[in-house]
Amino acid sequence: MEMKNERDAYVITVPAEEIVIREGEVCPVMYKILNGRAEMYTGYGTENEVLLAILKEGQCFGEFGLLAKKPALYTVVAYSELMLFKVDEDKMYDFVRENPSSVLQIMRSMAKTMTIMQHQITQLGSELDEKNKATKRMMDRNKELLEKYLLGMNENMEE
């Protein structure tokens, strides 16, 4: 990522394919896309990778890290060269004052992310339930076979 100049100290350029925010890392900065497109993933680079969104000019990301100071819930990768406006805690008040329409977009983005995460949690819960049921069936079958085996041994010993 490179800075433009001192006057534009909060405007940065990110080359295509570079990771801007990495899932699991604390990044107390929010970005607004001034130019270009980015991809938002969960599980980026793993077999569980899911594309959550394609972000375009005017959209924001990283708001969770800025507001909550918690690890990122997703990874954002530059799809094309990006020009981003970087908003840190010191710049947040000015950003909100100068970009009131972005506040609603930020809230919608956070709500959408929470909805997606809730869906994933529900899906994982269902998968765990299915695996637990299969494990229980297998254990019950093994117990049944063991009981038959032990019963057979007892009968052979009595003879």
Side-chain angles (χ1 to χ4, degrees):
M1 291 186 224
E2 79 181 45
M3 295 248 189
K4 291 286 188 183
N5 58 44
E6 193 174 315
R7 183 180 66 84
D8 293 325
Y10 287 95
V11 176
I12 61 171
T13 301
V14 180
E17 299 182 21
E18 186 168 316
I19 293 175
V20 182
I21 292 178
R22 188 178 305 274
E23 183 176 356
E25 293 182 2
V26 177
C27 180
V29 177
M30 179 182 78
Y31 298 94
K32 181 174 183 175
I33 300 175
L34 301 176
N35 194 6
R37 294 192 184 272
E39 298 168 324
M40 179 186 289
Y41 294 92
T42 184
Y44 182 72
T46 71
E47 64 184 35
N48 299 320
E49 179 179 295
V50 176
L51 177 64
L52 299 175
I54 296 177
L55 305 170
K56 60 184 191 255
E57 187 176 311
Q59 291 186 289
C60 298
F61 60 91
E63 60 280 347
F64 185 77
L66 173 63
L67 298 172
K69 308 287 188 279
K70 299 288 184 192
L73 301 172
Y74 48 74
T75 296
V76 175
V77 181
Y79 178 76
S80 62
E81 181 177 274
L82 290 173
M83 184 181 301
L84 302 172
F85 184 74
K86 182 178 177 181
V87 181
D88 59 19
E89 194 168 2
D90 294 336
K91 191 73 174 159
M92 187 65 183
Y93 177 77
D94 291 336
F95 177 80
V96 169
R97 192 179 37 147
E98 295 167 11
N99 299 277
S101 63
S102 290
V103 175
L104 184 57
Q105 189 264 325
I106 290 166
M107 289 172 29
R108 284 184 177 140
S109 173
M110 290 179 76
K112 181 179 177 182
T113 299
M114 288 171 43
T115 301
I116 289 167
M117 294 299 174
Q118 181 60 48
H119 174 72
Q120 289 178 329
I121 289 168
T122 301
Q123 189 173 6
L124 286 171
S126 295
E127 289 174 16
L128 283 173
D129 284 346
E130 287 303 313
K131 287 182 180 183
N132 287 339
K133 287 176 186 175
T135 300
K136 184 176 180 342
R137 285 191 302 269
M138 186 173 62
M139 289 177 66
D140 289 346
R141 178 68 179 141
N142 286 343
K143 181 180 176 183
E144 185 181 302
L145 290 171
L146 182 59
E147 287 172 352
K148 284 181 181 179
Y149 174 75
L150 293 174
L151 183 60
M153 284 186 65
N154 285 341
E155 287 176 358
N156 287 338
M157 292 176 83
E158 291 175 1
E159 293 177 1

